[in-house]
Structure formats: structure tokens, C-alpha cells
Amino acid sequence: MTQTNAEETPKPAVVPQIRLERKHPLAIRWMHWLNFPVLFTMIWSGVLIYWNDSDNAYRHPHSIYRIGIGPLTILRLFPDWFYQKLQVPYHVTQGLGYHFFFMWIFALNGIAYVLFLGLSGEWRFLIPERRSLRDAIQVTLVDLHLRKGLPEQTKYNGAQRIAYTSVILMGAGMLVTGLAIYKPTQMHWLTTLLGGYEMARWLHFWITMSFLGFFVVHVVQVVLAGWNNFRAMVSGKEIQSVSAPSLQQERRSWR
């Protein structure tokens, strides 16, 4: 009789196991996608309103519309050629109408989002933890290919927790400063609290610029993360690979 060497025994092929894991609730997905056209319309209408002030800002430079030191202007945002290239219509009244109408949709959607986070317990996955800043630095280094190995995470990593919480705070800031600009007389206490009408405009403008910066980074990160991540925000479920030991453990728990 010949004995077969254990090393020569053919090993069964390892078939990767996958499963659909619930990630985003329906309410989160609805409010997320509703924000996209609302914010786009608000930013576009804000550009129309902004153009109304650009001529005066050109003759009387204002800190809102430029980056500079004292009287020295380093960069003027959205100059006249920007509007000419995009053929932006000079419809200031229309811009004001759209802006103030969609402002209330943005506000109601934001309030509903915060309430849902609090009532459903989803805030536990979103609010930064003690280690979030450290994890965010590590995630950034991995994205820049300066380090390997992502930290452990639950639904969101440390960078996402900080970014998404910051977006909620920026949304609240946009709403508060917008109300101070919209009703400076009726809500004079709020305008005064923000440092006056001009300071409220300054804050509103640069919070909007921060929103645009986040949007660009967010889209890039979604593209880099791949289709699986995008699908999770559409269907609510994400494909996860499951190792054999963990799969067996899950099957035991199902029995």
C-alpha cells in the first residue's frame, strides 16, 4: 500500500463568500439625494445674487468677494469673465426668489435629518469619537499613498465622522447666517449676535465656499471608493466579503 503525502492531497478550492449588508436606512438615502438638487439650486441662485453685488465690489472692494491683505487683492472670486464664459443670465430677482424658496426646503430637510439621527440612534455612527482625529490622519495618509493599512471602523471611519459632522454644522451655519441676511430688521438680534450684517454676509459666503470644497472632495472619494459604495446609498445595501470562519459562526447563530 502506498501512503499519500499530506502535502500532495489536493486542497478544495476556496470560494469567496459574499453577503448583502444593510448600511443606509431609507430615510437617510431620501434626505441625502434630496439635498443634491436643493443645494445645486441654492448655489446657482446664490451666484445670480452674487453677480448683482460684483460690480459694486469691483469699484469698492469687499472682503467677501476677494482674497487679499488690506487693500491688496490676491484673488477675486467669480470675476465678470466667469459669468460671461458660462453665459449666466443677469436675473437677480429670479435668483432671490429661487434662493429664498429652496432655503425652506433645505432647512426642513436638515431638521428632519438631525431628528432622524437622534431618534434612530444613527448618530452613534456619525459623531466623532476620541480616536476619530487619529484615525482621520491615518486614513488621509493612506489616501495619499504615504502609509498602508486602514484603521478599524464601523459604518464610517474617523475622517468620515469628522467630515459629515462638520457638514451638519455648516448647514446650520448657512441657515442661521442666511436668516440674518434675509431678515436683518426683524431678526436684528441674530444679525447683531453674528457681528452685524456685513459679518453675516462674510460668514454665509465662506461657509458656502466650504460646502463647495466638501462637495468636490466627497465626489472624488465616492469615485475612488467604487460602485459598491455608491450602490449602498442607492439601494441601502452593500456587498461584503465574508471569511469562512466568520461565515460558519454566522450559520451557527442562525440555527
Side-chain angles (χ1 to χ4, degrees):
M1 296 178 63
T2 59
Q3 295 181 351
T4 305
N5 193 336
E7 294 181 357
E8 297 178 358
T9 302
K11 296 181 180 179
V14 178
V15 180
Q17 303 288 340
I18 61 174
R19 67 176 180 185
L20 285 176
E21 183 174 322
R22 180 178 176 272
K23 187 172 183 180
H24 299 297
L26 179 62
I28 294 289
R29 286 178 278 139
W30 270 100
M31 288 180 280
H32 173 273
W33 290 114
L34 178 62
N35 256 342
F36 178 76
V38 170
L39 278 174
F40 176 83
T41 305
M42 288 193 66
I43 291 173
W44 175 253
S45 59
V47 169
L48 298 180
I49 300 170
Y50 179 88
W51 195 16
N52 182 45
D53 294 333
S54 62
D55 292 336
N56 292 330
Y58 184 79
R59 291 191 294 269
H60 307 285
H62 196 285
S63 59
I64 295 177
Y65 308 114
R66 69 186 184 96
I67 298 176
I69 303 174
L72 176 62
T73 299
I74 300 174
L75 174 65
R76 185 173 299 282
L77 301 176
F78 304 116
D80 289 340
W81 63 261
F82 170 82
Y83 294 92
Q84 295 170 2
K85 288 289 185 181
L86 295 181
Q87 298 182 355
V88 179
Y90 192 78
H91 294 161
V92 179
T93 305
Q94 186 183 55
L96 288 168
Y98 278 114
H99 204 72
F100 294 142
F101 175 79
F102 281 91
M103 172 187 72
W104 297 112
I105 301 177
F106 175 76
L108 292 174
N109 191 50
I111 293 171
Y113 179 74
V114 172
L115 287 176
F116 180 81
L117 289 178
L119 295 175
S120 65
E122 286 286 319
W123 63 271
R124 296 185 181 90
F125 303 107
L126 195 68
I127 300 299
E129 302 173 316
R130 288 184 178 181
R131 66 176 191 178
S132 292
L133 181 59
R134 181 190 61 195
D135 290 351
I137 296 174
Q138 186 174 346
V139 169
T140 303
L141 292 176
V142 171
D143 289 341
L144 296 175
H145 302 286
L146 299 177
R147 182 174 178 173
K148 294 183 178 180
L150 290 170
E152 294 183 3
Q153 69 176 68
T154 53
K155 187 173 182 177
Y156 302 113
N157 59 45
Q160 290 172 318
R161 285 175 178 264
I162 294 174
Y164 297 155
T165 302
S166 299
V167 166
I168 295 175
L169 296 177
M170 285 192 294
M174 286 183 67
L175 180 61
V176 170
T177 55
L179 288 173
I181 299 170
Y182 180 42
K183 297 290 185 180
T185 303
Q186 294 86 338
M187 305 192 71
H188 59 88
W189 59 272
L190 179 60
T191 308
T192 303
L193 186 64
L194 293 173
Y197 181 79
E198 293 298 325
M199 178 57 70
R201 291 178 66 205
W202 186 88
L203 291 171
H204 191 73
F205 179 83
W206 288 109
I207 291 174
T208 303
M209 292 297 102
S210 301
F211 239 115
L212 285 173
F214 166 80
F215 178 76
V216 172
V217 174
H218 182 62
V219 171
V220 171
Q221 290 290 344
V222 169
V223 172
L224 293 177
W227 174 250
N228 191 35
N229 185 63
F230 180 81
R231 176 175 44 223
M233 187 51 75
V234 176
S235 66
K237 295 183 179 180
E238 185 178 50
I239 295 178
Q240 295 282 351
S241 59
V242 185
S243 60
S246 61
L247 185 63
Q248 292 175 0
Q249 185 176 3
E250 282 188 6
R251 286 173 178 170
R252 293 192 194 100
S253 65
W254 294 342
R255 294 174 182 173

